[in-house]
Amino acid sequence: MQIYMVGGAVRDRLLGRPVNDRDWVVVGATPDEMAAQGYLPVGRDFPVFLHPQTHEEYALARTERKSGRGYRGFAVQASPEVTLEEDLSRRDLTINAIAQPADAAGASASASDPSATHGLCDPYGGVRDLQARVLRHVTDAFREDPVRILRVARFAARFTDFTVAPETLALMREMVEAGEVDHLVAERVWQELARGLMEPAPSRMFEVLRACGALAVLLPELDRLWGVPQRAEYHPEVDTGVHVMMVLDMAARLQAPLAVRFACLVHDLGKGTTAADVLPRHIGHETRSAELLRDVCERLRVPVDCRETADVVAREHGHIHRSADLNAAALVRLLERCDALRKPARFAEVLLACECDARGRLGFEETPYPQHPRLAAILAAAQSVVTAEIAARAAAAGAAGPQVGEWIRKARVSAVADWLAAQG
């Protein structure tokens, strides 16, 4: 029995990055031998075990054979005869197909230090590609799993100085043209997209997906934004697709949570359906964006929190940008449409997404966005109204039902008006 640390743990150690999770592969063992040593079996599709002390995952070396469409269509064989090189050959990228013997896994290593990489098993040139900053598929078996297209795009968003090898991008295009991406299940697509959105440069994920044609299949509503012009006086970058990517990277720069980053991604979908004869204006695109967003969320089964934040941003980002021109009554109506009084934490996310939208424009990256703190303060002013006291006074005056709500609304408008007056 031989044990090796494999995959991302080896890669990240060689890159000098923190290693959070370690994966292991076991060569020359049977499930019975693993169980006899106290390993707990947990694998459903192939033999995976948990170490009795560390609870890290140990998988038996295995091979895979394509047996159907999509990422689930595989026949897996694990046996003591499977070699380490055979196991590594089924992995996605060369930088993830490096193994280190367990007895050396605690030693420091660097891809730029030949002495540190001497004991590694690297049959597919992963160390070389780490040094060259290249994302390259291991073997032609890459084409058997369409999820790998999403993974390559996600790694491009994580490793911002890496490029995708031309032959790998060409293979990804072939897979898209063969219809492999059509068979991905929604949950897996969302899982990879969500992880990519949280990487340091999420725009790179969508650039890679667009380059291989996968974006037009998975998110045609987003893909059609490239080439759609906007008014240059407001958007010096002009191209809507370029703008959305700038907004997304601004969200990453501001360390926004997932719901905000997804909202940034989809806030301008309606601009892709603007009639050609009215371009570069996009009147009413907010309503169209919200409608298209609903279809996207249903298709990808987007979680409720991301869906709701994105919906508010799509509908209201224009009004939030122009909120300095609104009077107290209009501001309270804006808060109500955003459900800000009931969900203030979500409203904070909405404001952050709108700031990313405003600063995600060429030449505006460092421009302050006063609407963010101003609307947060206006919400606080509206929240300062003690609704129970207002309701009691309304009831004493004979008001009931919707009339009580109107009393409360007027009190909030008054509180916001007072705040505005105090600002001069």
Side-chain angles (χ1 to χ4, degrees), residues 6-327:
V6 295
V10 180
R11 176 200 68 221
D12 288 346
R13 288 182 68 244
L14 292 171
L15 289 172
R17 297 166 66 98
V19 175
N20 298 317
D21 299 305
R22 299 189 300 176
D23 291 312
W24 306 86
V25 65
V26 183
V27 178
T30 66
D32 288 343
E33 290 171 335
M34 297 293 288
Q37 294 193 30
Y39 288 83
L40 178 67
V42 294
R44 183 179 64 180
D45 300 321
F46 49 83
V48 177
F49 299 82
L50 296 183
H51 190 282
Q53 278 81 48
T54 67
H55 303 292
E56 292 177 328
E57 288 191 356
Y58 286 66
L60 297 188
R62 64 189 188 271
T63 60
E64 294 174 346
R65 178 175 54 82
K66 188 71 169 173
S67 61
R69 288 280 196 175
Y71 80 98
R72 290 177 173 169
F74 289 93
V76 178
Q77 178 190 6
S79 75
E81 286 73 38
V82 177
T83 67
L84 177 62
E85 184 170 336
E86 288 173 328
D87 181 273
L88 294 176
S89 71
R90 67 176 179 78
R91 297 178 184 269
D92 51 5
L93 298 173
T94 60
I95 63 171
N96 297 329
I98 310 169
Q100 186 170 28
D103 57 5
S108 61
S110 169
S112 60
D113 181 0
S115 64
T117 61
H118 178 69
L120 299 177
C121 180
D122 180 26
Y124 302 103
V127 172
R128 175 200 63 213
D129 285 340
L130 282 176
Q131 294 167 341
R133 298 299 194 259
V134 173
L135 301 173
R136 190 191 318 274
H137 66 285
V138 178
T139 68
D140 199 56
F142 180 98
R143 70 170 67 247
E144 298 178 348
D145 185 358
V147 170
R148 290 174 172 175
I149 293 174
L150 289 163
R151 281 174 56 82
V152 171
R154 176 163 60 82
F155 281 127
R158 177 185 302 179
F159 302 121
T160 58
D161 57 344
F162 279 61
T163 59
V164 180
E167 63 269 29
T168 300
L169 191 60
L171 179 56
M172 291 161 63
R173 284 198 200 98
E174 291 177 15
M175 293 168 66
V176 173
E177 292 168 0
E180 279 289 336
V181 174
D182 301 329
H183 297 275
L184 287 171
V185 298
E187 292 86 353
R188 195 63 190 273
V189 173
W190 170 252
Q191 179 185 51
E192 292 296 329
L193 288 178
R195 294 176 71 180
L197 285 170
M198 294 307 295
E199 298 291 3
S203 67
R204 298 195 77 213
M205 177 178 200
F206 298 96
E207 290 167 4
V208 171
L209 292 177
R210 184 167 173 257
C212 71
L215 190 61
V217 178
L218 298 171
L219 277 171
E221 301 89 347
L222 179 66
D223 185 69
R224 67 168 66 105
L225 296 182
W226 275 268
V228 175
Q230 304 169 104
R231 294 174 63 179
E233 63 267 37
Y234 299 121
H235 288 277
E237 71 283 353
V238 179
D239 189 288
T240 304
V242 172
H243 164 62
V244 170
M245 293 299 100
M246 293 179 69
V247 175
L248 189 54
D249 283 346
M250 181 57 67
R253 173 181 164 182
L254 299 182
Q255 300 183 318
L258 176 60
V260 171
R261 299 192 192 201
F262 178 66
C264 289
L265 180 71
V266 297
H267 77 286
D268 266 350
L269 295 181
K271 289 183 177 179
T273 61
T274 299
D277 61 342
V278 300
L279 291 173
R281 303 180 70 193
H282 293 278
I283 299 171
H285 79 275
E286 295 91 348
T287 300
R288 299 196 305 276
S289 295
E291 292 171 352
L292 290 167
L293 171 64
R294 283 193 286 273
D295 293 338
V296 169
C297 291
E298 288 298 323
R299 188 170 71 245
L300 298 183
R301 300 183 185 178
V302 176
V304 172
D305 61 331
C306 293
R307 183 182 308 212
E308 291 183 346
T309 299
D311 175 68
V312 176
V313 174
R315 286 188 290 106
E316 301 294 343
H317 65 273
H319 296 120
I320 288 173
H321 291 332
R322 297 185 293 272
S323 58
D325 299 328
L326 302 180
N327 62 26

